[in-house]
Amino acid sequence: MKYLKVIAFTHKQIELKELGKLVICQENLTDKLHEVKVRFGINEIFYLATCNRVEFVLSTPQKVDRDFAQEFIDALGIGLCTNAMDTFLDAASIYEDHAAMEHLLRTSCSLESLVVGEKEILAQLRKAYDSGREAGLTGDKLRVIMDCVVKTAKEVYTYTNISKNPISVVSLAYRKLKDLKLCANARVLIIGAGETNRNISKYLQKHKFSNFSVFNRTLSKAQQLANDLGGDAYELEDLKTYKKGFDAIITCTSAVEPIITTEIYASLLNGDTDRKTIVDLAIPNDTAAEVLEQYDVNFIEVHSLNEVAKKNLQERYHELSHAEAIIEQNINEFLVMLKQRRIELAMRQVPEKIKEIRHNAVNTVFAEEVQSLDKESREILEKVMNYMEKKYISVPMIMAKDILINSN
């Protein structure tokens, strides 16, 4: 666990609007991570970006401090100016070893989330790790860590009330949208067909909204969500020429530049002067700042949900100690497992060595004596040696584990 390092930029120290500057475009994310992995001698790495955090999880013997973080972020080509880089680095949280493990467990259990008790973060964390694994960026060390992360989160959500009557950024956004009292036949444009928009669409559909148009960079994904909603599917580029009007826009993409520019917004309005609603849950925002400056818009974004999130934390505060106790227990169990694993790795050659000794004894050292035995005697000898072989393998392993575990 001593090689586990985390570089975290979160809503606790950084404005959500600013966090978007650290988001890496998905199209070249894998290539960039492979490049820094080689350049900085990182054994394993994956990248997590949500609406309230950007984090890099590493397994590396390298010293990870502010200077490392600066070189690392610069190598990713995010394009921060000197002042912005300094601001982010001053606000960064860098964890290693036990503290890094605790941070990952707290994150997976939503204790570090903007909305404590939301379960989406576990799915987001697993998806981030799975993407890294599939890209060949992670290996065995982060695998066993993620096993513990998932196990712990499931226990917290099962054995505490921290997620009772669960709310999330999506549900909070829908509550604010509901307060605007849109009619059920309101024309809703959904931009992006990812998990966040799928989730908020379920709320809309549940409350009888039925007029949907889904836009996505990959048309097949737009079609899948549109089919679920009984709506129409379009490619993202079709926003520029869409003329059927709208009452509300729900947008959440992984784009690093605004999707809804003043030009596109004006085109979507097509002369309509009614006040519209935009729910923008993307980090960075999909809506250009100029749109909000030039048009009268009901605008709902992640940043605006802070006050509701704080109230939610107060309501769940008494459950935090229960969750933290589960986290501590799992860390202790994980440390024991790591020690046992070290023994297993150190002694993995023992079985082969014992088999070699046995083979040499039977076929060389005592070959004549063994051959002189009758069939029944050789069968008895075989049984005795099989028994002894198993004991010579298992007993030292058990004793070594006990010595190591009890030595502290």
Side-chain angles (χ1 to χ4, degrees):
M1 198 162 64
K2 66 180 180 180
Y3 287 167
L4 179 62
K5 318 285 172 70
V6 178
I7 304 173
F9 305 89
T10 77
H11 66 97
K12 292 191 173 183
Q13 288 84 25
I14 302 170
E15 286 287 332
L16 292 173
K17 292 181 179 180
E18 294 299 307
L19 265 178
K21 295 178 181 178
L22 291 168
V23 175
I24 304 173
C25 178
Q26 290 292 322
E27 292 181 4
N28 54 8
L29 171 61
T30 299
D31 291 340
K32 285 188 174 184
L33 292 178
H34 273 295
E35 288 171 9
V36 295
K37 186 172 183 280
V38 173
R39 174 172 171 179
F40 293 96
I42 297 169
N43 298 328
E44 303 178 37
I45 182 173
F46 72 88
Y47 161 83
L48 171 68
T50 75
C51 60
N52 51 55
R53 67 184 60 252
V54 171
E55 302 197 13
F56 300 90
V57 181
L58 320 172
S59 175
T60 177
Q62 302 294 328
K63 181 180 180 181
V64 176
D65 54 14
R66 192 182 192 280
D67 291 339
F68 177 95
Q70 180 170 353
E71 289 186 43
F72 178 82
I73 298 298
D74 189 57
L76 287 167
I78 296 175
L80 298 176
C81 66
T82 303
N83 288 339
M85 176 72 85
D86 289 340
T87 300
F88 281 121
L89 291 174
D90 289 342
S93 297
I94 298 176
Y95 306 93
E96 62 177 288
D97 199 359
H98 189 284
M101 188 67 180
E102 183 178 8
H103 170 74
L104 286 178
L105 296 186
R106 290 179 62 86
T107 298
S108 72
C109 300
S110 84
L111 303 192
E112 301 294 328
S113 293
L114 176 66
V115 181
V116 174
E118 57 91 6
K119 294 183 178 181
E120 282 87 348
I121 182 58
L122 177 58
Q124 291 164 335
L125 191 53
R126 292 179 72 170
K127 183 178 179 181
Y129 166 73
D130 287 342
S131 296
R133 177 179 53 79
E134 290 166 6
L137 292 164
T138 67
D140 196 54
K141 286 186 172 62
L142 290 184
R143 179 188 64 77
V144 296
I145 285 169
M146 281 302 299
D147 286 346
C148 180
V149 165
V150 172
K151 173 179 176 291
T152 304
K154 287 182 176 179
E155 288 180 7
V156 167
Y157 292 133
T158 300
Y159 299 117
T160 77
N161 289 323
I162 203 161
S163 60
K164 185 178 181 181
N165 299 320
I167 63 174
S168 63
V169 168
V170 167
S171 63
L172 292 180
Y174 180 73
R175 288 183 190 183
K176 297 196 74 170
L177 178 63
K178 187 179 179 183
D179 289 342
L180 297 175
K181 300 187 184 305
L182 292 177
C183 59
N185 66 346
R187 299 162 296 176
V188 181
L189 307 187
I190 297 177
I191 303 174
E195 182 179 359
T196 298
N197 276 357
R198 289 198 301 272
N199 288 339
I200 200 167
S201 295
K202 292 176 183 176
Y203 282 98
L204 293 167
Q205 195 174 34
K206 180 180 178 181
H207 290 87
K208 308 307 180 184
F209 286 86
S210 58
N211 194 343
F212 298 100
S213 297
V214 182
F215 298 80
N216 195 64
R217 201 176 303 278
T218 304
L219 181 59
S220 61
K221 292 184 178 179
Q223 288 172 331
Q224 184 178 358
L225 179 55
N227 289 341
D228 292 340
L229 297 173
D232 300 317
Y234 301 87
E235 292 184 350
L236 193 59
E237 284 293 308
D238 293 333
L239 274 174
K240 297 176 181 178
T241 56
Y242 185 81
K243 300 297 182 184
K244 296 182 180 180
F246 73 99
D247 298 295
I249 294 175
I250 312 291
T251 184
C252 185
T253 75
S254 58
V256 295
E257 297 293 335
I259 298 292
I260 307 171
T261 62
T262 52
E263 293 79 13
I264 286 180
Y265 192 75
S267 176
L268 290 171
L269 285 173
N270 198 25
D272 190 345
T273 58
D274 290 346
R275 190 180 196 191
K276 306 299 182 182
T277 296
I278 300 177
V279 179
D280 190 337
L281 300 182
I283 296 292
N285 282 349
D286 286 332
T287 310
E290 294 78 12
V291 171
L292 307 179
E293 293 168 1
Q294 297 179 27
Y295 296 93
D296 187 18
V297 175
N298 295 315
F299 189 61
I300 300 170
E301 59 173 339
V302 175
H303 179 72
S304 67
L305 306 175
N306 270 323
E307 288 306 312
V308 185
K310 288 178 182 177
K311 182 181 177 183
N312 168 68
L313 175 59
Q314 292 172 353
E315 293 172 351
R316 298 169 194 272
Y317 187 79
H318 64 284
E319 289 298 319
L320 296 182
S321 60
H322 299 160
E324 287 167 350
I326 291 174
I327 288 172
E328 182 178 2
Q329 178 183 346
N330 273 275
I331 289 178
N332 291 335
E333 291 175 358
F334 182 74
L335 290 173
V336 171
M337 185 276 291
L338 281 184
K339 290 179 178 180
Q340 292 175 336
R341 186 176 176 80
R342 281 165 53 196
I343 287 292
E344 289 168 358
L345 291 174
M347 300 187 70
R348 59 188 171 186
Q349 292 183 341
V350 170
E352 291 302 319
K353 292 293 184 183
I354 290 177
K355 287 181 185 299
E356 288 179 13
I357 293 171
R358 170 180 170 165
H359 183 271
N360 190 48
V362 172
N363 296 286
T364 304
V365 180
F366 302 105
E368 291 185 8
E369 290 88 338
V370 171
Q371 289 300 319
S372 67
L373 297 174
D374 58 49
K375 181 180 178 181
E376 184 179 350
S377 297
R378 283 202 298 270
E379 288 176 352
I380 293 173
L381 176 62
E382 184 74 15
K383 290 180 180 179
V384 170
M385 294 188 70
N386 285 339
Y387 176 81
M388 295 296 292
E389 180 181 328
K390 290 178 182 178
K391 292 299 180 181
Y392 275 122
I393 291 173
S394 63
V395 171
M397 188 81 74
I398 293 170
M399 293 177 65
K401 287 181 180 179
D402 287 342
I403 292 169
L404 184 58
I405 291 168
N406 295 324
S407 62
N408 295 328

